[in-house]
Amino acid sequence: MSSLTNNFVYQKMIDVFSNKKINFQEAMKLINSADLDFLADCANQITVKFGGDKVDVETLVNAKSGRCPEDCSFCSQSTFNTTKIEKYPLLTPERILAQAEEAKNNGANSFCIVCAYRSPPEQDFIQICNTIKLIKESLDIDVNTSLGFMTRDRALMLKKLGVKRYNHNLETAKSMFDKICTTHSYEDRINTAKIVKEAGLELCSGGIIGMGETIEQRVELGISLQSLNPDEVPVNMLIGREGTPLFNKFSLTEEEIIRTIATFRFLMPRAILKIAGGREVHLKKNDKKVLKAGANGIISGGYLTTKGNKHQEDIRMLKEIGLKQN
Ligand code: SF4
């Protein structure tokens, strides 16, 4: 049985090498294949073929925290949820620059300005643009942003200022979306992802696993992401925060994470596949395994409302497994 499914997994890897797209049915067979190690190894071979041994290491700044008017049930920054997080308005350009400098000194190659908005009010957007200008004039670091819904003009402005990549996650499968958010639609998310690409920005779009979705819905998310052809795909693993409707509701195993990431690698062979929020909680020290199962990116130095590994610790871990920072 296992050698039959291994033949299938091997054949799909060869297909990916020759630029054939994996479809939903094939991805379902991959995610359920009997031999986890073989699946992980083939996913790793795809990563090496298209991306070499480089790992993208990104640092985030939560530049405006909390009080988001949207009702995403997983999110500690939603006004609908009663989480105990530090809430603050948009940080000053100088404060954000100082954090970018710290990220650069710690060796990060990209710095993402993340803000909890549905979309930024005009005054805040202007301040964010001034911040980006200041960072670009002062430092040699890639600047990425995640600011909520975008208009075409705003996306073009970010592109003009030198922003490299824009993050806008699909969060979950379309068939699951109304269970986790009712204040906006899946189409709204897809729309911003498309606007970003049309403006010439690189697209970073991924989601969260462990919110009670089925295996089919994980694959469904992978197929929706594949159709957007993102440059980067962050895979977050839910930490059900106290005060959110998802607190202590669902669990997620290391095996499920590896199967999902490996299958996403078959679906999106050239994307940076990033192990994002929840890495330290769900994988502990086993993030190495996932970086040998299709992933080639990490977020280092903490997340939006949770702490993460120290940067030096992550760089040491990459060296230990023979990978290099991009
Ligand atoms: S839109 Fe973003 S910041 Fe706002 S509640 Fe949803 S996930 Fe959180």
Side-chain angles (χ1 to χ4, degrees):
M1 177 67 184
S2 144
S3 79
L4 261 183
T5 58
N6 282 0
N7 284 347
F8 174 80
V9 174
Y10 184 80
Q11 187 50 52
K12 289 303 118 190
M13 178 182 75
I14 300 300
D15 286 354
V16 171
F17 285 168
S18 52
N19 296 317
K20 285 197 190 125
K21 253 192 183 176
I22 299 296
N23 64 29
F24 179 83
Q25 284 74 19
E26 291 167 331
M28 280 305 296
K29 273 178 94 169
L30 288 169
I31 205 166
N32 287 318
S33 63
D35 188 340
L36 176 66
D37 290 343
F38 191 74
L39 175 72
D41 185 53
C42 290
N44 187 45
Q45 287 190 52
I46 297 171
T47 310
V48 173
K49 165 122 179 131
F50 293 107
D53 58 359
K54 300 271 171 55
V55 175
D56 189 271
V57 180
E58 183 173 42
T59 296
L60 308 176
V61 58
N62 192 3
K64 184 261 170 196
S65 177
R67 301 196 181 95
C68 179
E70 302 304 291
D71 72 348
C72 308
S73 57
F74 56 85
C75 183
S76 57
Q77 303 204 67
S78 164
T79 43
F80 288 79
N81 301 332
T82 53
T83 42
K84 291 186 192 112
I85 57 157
E86 200 191 341
K87 301 177 179 111
Y88 47 84
L90 182 61
L91 299 178
T92 62
E94 293 71 28
R95 180 108 185 254
I96 298 175
L97 173 66
Q99 297 206 31
E101 274 166 350
E102 196 185 329
K104 168 89 184 162
N105 292 339
N106 280 332
N109 25 31
S110 55
F111 179 72
C112 187
I113 302 171
V114 187
C115 296
Y117 296 114
R118 177 184 167 89
S119 64
E122 189 59 16
Q123 212 185 337
D124 283 15
F125 185 70
I126 293 168
Q127 189 175 318
I128 292 164
C129 290
N130 291 336
T131 306
I132 294 163
K133 230 186 272 170
L134 183 67
I135 298 174
K136 294 303 282 183
E137 283 163 9
S138 318
L139 286 179
D140 179 23
I141 192 166
D142 287 338
V143 177
N144 304 328
T145 52
S146 181
L147 310 172
F149 296 125
M150 271 287 111
T151 61
R152 193 170 171 271
D153 287 351
R154 284 185 168 188
L156 286 169
M157 173 58 84
L158 295 177
K159 173 73 184 167
K160 202 169 141 202
L161 289 169
V163 169
K164 183 173 184 193
R165 201 171 288 154
Y166 193 88
N167 165 262
H168 198 69
N169 293 336
L170 294 186
E171 312 300 13
T172 188
K174 186 175 181 189
S175 62
M176 164 93 184
F177 195 77
D178 60 358
K179 288 205 184 79
I180 64 134
C181 179
T182 64
T183 49
H184 60 264
S185 68
Y186 209 64
E187 285 66 33
D188 291 332
R189 293 204 156 261
I190 299 258
N191 191 34
T192 280
K194 288 186 174 160
I195 286 173
V196 162
K197 286 199 77 146
E198 281 160 18
L201 292 159
E202 290 189 6
L203 174 66
C204 167
S205 189
I208 307 164
I209 58 170
M211 299 198 291
E213 71 283 352
T214 62
I215 304 291
E216 283 81 0
Q217 285 171 321
R218 278 179 203 158
V219 172
E220 187 192 331
L221 169 64
I223 294 284
S224 294
L225 291 169
Q226 182 197 49
S227 74
L228 293 173
N229 193 19
D231 299 278
E232 177 180 332
V233 179
V235 177
N236 296 279
M237 295 138 275
L238 181 76
I239 306 172
R241 294 283 297 261
E242 197 173 347
T244 69
L246 301 186
F247 175 54
N248 268 349
K249 222 168 161 189
F250 303 107
S251 59
L252 188 63
T253 65
E254 187 182 294
E255 178 172 340
E256 287 176 271
I257 296 167
I258 294 175
R259 285 184 179 279
T260 306
I261 298 239
T263 304
F264 278 19
R265 174 53 74 207
F266 277 79
L267 287 169
M268 293 166 282
R270 289 183 163 81
I272 295 168
L273 199 41
K274 196 164 273 181
I275 339 171
R279 169 166 66 107
E280 291 84 349
V281 172
H282 288 285
L283 296 168
K284 313 256 171 347
K285 298 284 168 197
N286 282 336
D287 39 8
K288 295 176 192 151
K289 278 194 200 166
V290 187
L291 285 163
K292 291 285 185 185
N296 62 347
I298 54 171
I299 290 169
S300 188
Y303 303 88
L304 300 179
T305 57
T306 47
K307 290 204 164 65
N309 285 351
K310 291 215 169 66
H311 200 84
Q312 286 74 6
E313 235 175 87
D314 282 333
I315 301 300
R316 220 177 11 251
M317 177 269 287
L318 294 181
K319 276 195 189 139
E320 267 169 38
I321 54 174
L323 297 174
K324 294 188 191 99
Q325 185 176 358
N326 197 3

